[in-house]
């Protein structure tokens, strides 16, 4: 089931159990459109916009979010 907001999920590689999840943006047009990258204990996730073609087009700026995999926000 897709999340309503752009959400990062961490699962156990051995059991598939959910370890944590966190919403990375609350803007209605925000979306995650690529894979996360892990470096050490940091998970990097790109957040982009899905506002092309709507009345409020182009009001969102993309970003990269860095999450500590041990202590997500």
């Amino acid at each position: 089931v897709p999340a309503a907001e752009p959400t990062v999920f961490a699962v156990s590689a051995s059991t598939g159990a959910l370890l944590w999840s966190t919403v990375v943006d609350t803007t209605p047009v925000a979306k995650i459109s690529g894979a996360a990258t892990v470096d050490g204990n940091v998970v990097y996730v790109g957040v982009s916009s899905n506002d092309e073609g709507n009345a409020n087009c182009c009001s969102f700026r993309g970003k990269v979010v860095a999450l500590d995999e041990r202590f997500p926000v």
Side-chain angles (χ1 to χ4, degrees):
V1 175
E5 297 174 304
T7 306
V8 176
F9 298 91
V11 296
S12 167
S14 59
T15 67
L18 179 66
L19 302 174
W20 55 261
S21 67
T22 190
V23 174
V24 293
D25 198 292
T26 58
T27 306
V29 296
K31 66 179 181 178
I32 297 171
S33 58
T37 299
V38 179
D39 182 24
N41 290 325
V42 181
V43 179
Y44 297 96
V45 180
V47 181
S48 61
S49 169
N50 195 26
D51 69 350
E52 295 81 12
N54 84 33
N56 297 321
C57 178
C58 311
S59 61
F60 181 86
R61 297 182 95 179
K63 63 183 176 182
V64 175
V65 178
L67 304 167
D68 184 327
E69 70 175 13
R70 300 164 300 165
F71 307 103
V73 176

